[in-house]
Short mmCIF file of all heavy atoms in Angstrom, two decimals:
data_model
loop_
_atom_site.label_atom_id
_atom_site.label_comp_id
_atom_site.label_asym_id
_atom_site.label_seq_id
_atom_site.Cartn_x
_atom_site.Cartn_y
_atom_site.Cartn_z
N ARG B 342 3.62 94.11 3.22
CA ARG B 342 2.81 95.10 3.92
C ARG B 342 1.65 94.37 4.61
O ARG B 342 1.00 93.52 4.02
CB ARG B 342 2.28 96.08 2.87
CG ARG B 342 1.47 97.24 3.37
CD ARG B 342 1.34 98.30 2.24
NE ARG B 342 0.82 97.71 1.00
CZ ARG B 342 -0.50 97.65 0.70
NH1 ARG B 342 -1.39 98.13 1.52
NH2 ARG B 342 -0.89 97.12 -0.45
N VAL B 343 1.40 94.71 5.90
CA VAL B 343 0.27 94.08 6.60
C VAL B 343 -1.02 94.74 6.14
O VAL B 343 -1.20 95.95 6.25
CB VAL B 343 0.43 94.23 8.14
CG1 VAL B 343 -0.81 93.69 8.86
CG2 VAL B 343 1.67 93.51 8.61
N VAL B 344 -1.93 93.94 5.59
CA VAL B 344 -3.19 94.51 5.08
C VAL B 344 -4.39 94.08 5.93
O VAL B 344 -5.50 94.54 5.70
CB VAL B 344 -3.43 94.13 3.60
CG1 VAL B 344 -2.40 94.80 2.71
CG2 VAL B 344 -3.43 92.62 3.42
N CYS B 345 -4.12 93.19 6.88
CA CYS B 345 -5.20 92.74 7.76
C CYS B 345 -4.55 92.22 9.03
O CYS B 345 -3.60 91.45 8.96
CB CYS B 345 -5.99 91.62 7.06
SG CYS B 345 -7.17 90.75 8.13
N ASP B 346 -5.03 92.69 10.18
CA ASP B 346 -4.48 92.20 11.44
C ASP B 346 -5.61 92.26 12.47
O ASP B 346 -5.87 93.31 13.04
CB ASP B 346 -3.29 93.07 11.86
CG ASP B 346 -2.54 92.43 13.03
OD1 ASP B 346 -3.00 91.39 13.54
OD2 ASP B 346 -1.49 92.98 13.42
N LEU B 347 -6.25 91.14 12.67
CA LEU B 347 -7.46 91.12 13.50
C LEU B 347 -7.34 90.10 14.62
O LEU B 347 -6.69 89.07 14.45
CB LEU B 347 -8.67 90.74 12.63
CG LEU B 347 -9.05 91.71 11.52
CD1 LEU B 347 -10.07 91.07 10.60
CD2 LEU B 347 -9.58 93.01 12.12
N PRO B 348 -7.99 90.38 15.76
CA PRO B 348 -8.12 89.33 16.78
C PRO B 348 -8.92 88.19 16.16
O PRO B 348 -10.05 88.42 15.70
CB PRO B 348 -8.90 90.01 17.90
CG PRO B 348 -8.89 91.48 17.59
CD PRO B 348 -8.70 91.63 16.12
N ILE B 349 -8.36 86.99 16.11
CA ILE B 349 -8.98 85.93 15.30
C ILE B 349 -10.33 85.48 15.86
O ILE B 349 -11.25 85.16 15.11
CB ILE B 349 -7.99 84.76 15.08
CG1 ILE B 349 -8.45 83.92 13.88
CG2 ILE B 349 -7.80 83.93 16.33
CD1 ILE B 349 -7.37 83.06 13.28
N ASP B 350 -10.46 85.49 17.19
CA ASP B 350 -11.75 85.06 17.76
C ASP B 350 -12.84 86.09 17.48
O ASP B 350 -14.00 85.75 17.28
CB ASP B 350 -11.62 84.81 19.27
CG ASP B 350 -11.02 86.00 19.99
OD1 ASP B 350 -10.39 86.85 19.33
OD2 ASP B 350 -11.19 86.09 21.22
N PHE B 351 -12.44 87.37 17.43
CA PHE B 351 -13.41 88.43 17.11
C PHE B 351 -13.98 88.21 15.70
O PHE B 351 -15.17 88.28 15.47
CB PHE B 351 -12.69 89.78 17.21
CG PHE B 351 -13.59 90.97 17.00
CD1 PHE B 351 -14.76 91.13 17.75
CD2 PHE B 351 -13.26 91.95 16.06
CE1 PHE B 351 -15.57 92.24 17.55
CE2 PHE B 351 -14.08 93.05 15.87
CZ PHE B 351 -15.24 93.20 16.61
N LEU B 352 -13.10 87.89 14.78
CA LEU B 352 -13.53 87.68 13.39
C LEU B 352 -14.36 86.40 13.24
O LEU B 352 -15.38 86.39 12.56
CB LEU B 352 -12.30 87.63 12.48
CG LEU B 352 -12.55 87.31 11.00
CD1 LEU B 352 -13.39 88.40 10.34
CD2 LEU B 352 -11.23 87.13 10.25
N CYS B 353 -13.90 85.34 13.90
CA CYS B 353 -14.50 84.03 13.61
C CYS B 353 -15.66 83.67 14.53
O CYS B 353 -16.51 82.88 14.14
CB CYS B 353 -13.44 82.94 13.70
SG CYS B 353 -12.19 83.11 12.44
N ASP B 354 -15.68 84.19 15.73
CA ASP B 354 -16.67 83.68 16.69
C ASP B 354 -17.55 84.74 17.32
O ASP B 354 -18.40 84.43 18.14
CB ASP B 354 -15.96 82.94 17.84
CG ASP B 354 -15.31 81.67 17.35
OD1 ASP B 354 -15.93 81.01 16.50
OD2 ASP B 354 -14.19 81.36 17.79
N GLN B 355 -17.30 86.02 17.04
CA GLN B 355 -18.02 87.03 17.81
C GLN B 355 -18.93 87.93 16.98
O GLN B 355 -19.19 89.07 17.35
CB GLN B 355 -17.02 87.86 18.63
CG GLN B 355 -16.40 87.02 19.73
CD GLN B 355 -15.27 87.72 20.46
OE1 GLN B 355 -15.13 88.93 20.37
NE2 GLN B 355 -14.47 86.96 21.18
#
Side-chain angles (χ1 to χ4, degrees):
Chain B
R342 183 166 54 90
V343 175
V344 293
C345 170
D346 191 356
L347 295 169
I349 199 160
D350 53 341
F351 184 54
L352 176 64
C353 295
D354 293 321
Q355 291 173 16

